Amino acid sequence: MAAESFGDEDDRPNVVVMMVDDMGLSDIGPYGSEIPTPNLDALAAGGVRFSQFYNTGRCCPTRASLLTGLYSHQAGVGWMTTDQGTPGYLGRLSDDCVTIAEVLQQAGYFTAMTGKWHVGHDEGGMPKDRGFDRSLNLPAGGVHFSNQTGSKGNTKLFLDGEEVAKDDPMFAPPWYGTDLWVRQGLKFVDEASQKGKPFFWYCAHIAPHFPCMAPESTIAKYRGKYMKGWDQMRIERHARQIESGLIDPSWEMEPRPDVIPAWDSLSHEQKVRYDDMMAIYAAMIEEIDNSVGKLVAGLKSKGQLENTLILFLSDNGGNAEAGISGRYDGDHPGDPHSNVFIGQCWAHLNNTPFRKYKHFNHEGGIATPLIAHWPDRISPKSDWIKTPTHLIDLMATCVDIGKAEYPEQHGGVAVTPMQGQSLLPLLNGEGEFSDRPLYWEHEGNAAVRIGDMKLVREGGNGKWELFDLAKDRTEQNPIDDPKLKQAMMQQWTRWAKSADVLPKPDTLKKKRNKKS
C-alpha cells in the first residue's frame, strides 16, 4: 500500500520493538526479579503483560522469526549464520521471505533499526537491503562499550551499511550500548517526523549477552546483594511470580540440577566470585531499564508516545554457556577489557521456575517476557494475557495496525505466507484470536504445543516427553499417553518437512559461531 494513500494526516501508529539478548524470564521486575526496573514496571503497569509468549530459544533464529513472521527455518536461519547448503540453513534471510520493515516501508512507514542484526550481514543482507531506511548496527553482538577490547573488540559498527568507527564523535563516545542504540534511534524518529511518516523502529539490544560488562558505578550498586545465593533468591523470585499471577502455585518449581552446587556448600571466596558475576549481570539489566526510560521520555517529548505500540521482549532464555564455573576473566571483571559469563548456576535463577536454558525448547529456553504498551489503544490490565503467542505473530500485528499488505511476491520471488496472526484482539479485546499449534526446532531440540499439551525433546536423539502445561508448565511430570504422543510426533514431523526443518544438512557444521 503506497504512502500517498494516507494523505498528509497519517495517524497510523508507530511501532517500537525492543528486544534484549540472553535475558531470562524472571530477570525484570514485572516477571519476578529483585533487580529494580522502575521503567519496565511503569511500561507494564500502563500496558499489558503476556505470560505465555514464546521465542525460538536462540539468537539468530529468533531474529529471523521476529523480522519475517515465519518460523526461522522458513526464513533460512534454522541455526546460526553459517550456510549449510539447505533451504532451512542458509545462515541468512532467504529471498522468499520479507521483513516487517520491507512490508511497512511499502505501506509508507519510515523504518529504522539499531543494535544487533545477526541474520547474515554479507552484501545484500544488511538492514539497508532488507527494508530499513536508517540503521546503526553490529553484524552480530558482543559489543557494549566504544573502547571495548578482547574477543569482541574488533567488531565493526555500520551506519546505513557503511562501516564507521565506534569512537566517531557523532556517537558521543565513550558510550555504553544500551544508551547508544536508543539515543541514535530517537534521532531516526526525528527524521520520520520531519517526513510526516509513522515509524517502525527495531531496537535490538546486545545486553545482557556475554561478555557481561557494565559501567562500574552501576555494578557497585549490586555487589554483595547476591551473597544470598541462587537457592534462596530463586525461592524469592518464585514467590513474587506466584503473587503476581504469572505462575500457578500448583506447578512444581524446577529443582536445582545435581550439577549445580548448593550455595551453602561453597567457600566464602567462591561466593564472592559468583556474587560479583551476578552483580555485573544485574547492572546490565538496570542499564536496559534505563534505556527504556530514555525511550519513553524521548517519545513523550516528541509527542509520539500515545500513538506508539512498544513491545519489549527477550530473544531466548537465560544462558548457561560456560557451565557451572562461568567465566570471570580480567583485571577488573565487568569493565570493557574483561570476559565474564554468568554460567549455568545463575542461569538457573534467570529462568525461574522453568527447566533448561538458551538453546533448548523446554520452557526455560523459549519463554520470554512480553510487555506491550500503547496508550491510545491498550487499557492497562491488572491480570495477564495468558493466550499462547509467538514471535511469528509480530509481523501479522504490524501488518494489521499499519494497514499494510503482506505481499505474495517480492523482487520477483514468491513469498512464503506469514505464519502468525495479529495480537490486536488480545491487546484491545476486540475480535478473535484463534487457537493454533506452535512448533520449535533448534540443534535437534524440538517441541510442539497444541492447546495446553506440549511434546518436547532434548536433542535429535532424545526422548520425547509430553506435558499438560495447564497443570505442569514447569515440565516436571511427563504424561504417559503413547497414542497422543505418537499423534503429536507425527504432526511435528509433517510441520518439520513443510517448514524446511527437514531434511537436516548432511553434516551440521559445529564450528561454533563465536558471535552467538
Side-chain angles (χ1 to χ4, degrees), residues 389-463:
T389 42
H390 190 282
L391 293 162
I392 57 175
D393 299 323
L394 299 189
M395 169 69 86
T397 304
C398 290
V399 169
D400 187 5
I401 67 176
K403 297 182 172 63
E405 294 179 1
Y406 187 87
E408 294 182 0
Q409 288 193 340
H410 182 74
V413 178
V415 171
T416 304
M418 60 182 173
Q419 302 294 293
Q421 52 192 28
S422 174
L423 297 175
L424 191 56
L426 300 176
L427 297 177
N428 63 15
E430 300 173 5
E432 298 295 328
F433 189 91
S434 301
D435 292 336
R436 72 306 171 50
L438 295 172
Y439 302 94
W440 293 265
E441 195 282 336
H442 183 65
E443 295 183 326
N445 303 307
V448 53
R449 176 170 178 167
I450 303 173
D452 288 323
M453 304 307 294
K454 179 182 175 184
L455 189 69
V456 61
R457 180 184 74 193
E458 180 180 344
N461 297 317
K463 177 183 176 182

Side-chain angles (χ1 to χ4, degrees), residues 25-26 234 237-238 241 253 347-354:
L25 179 80
S26 70
R234 206 155 177 272
R237 285 194 181 189
H238 187 230
Q241 291 175 327
M253 183 166 61
H348 187 56
L349 173 68
N350 301 154
N351 296 335
T352 304
F354 295 139

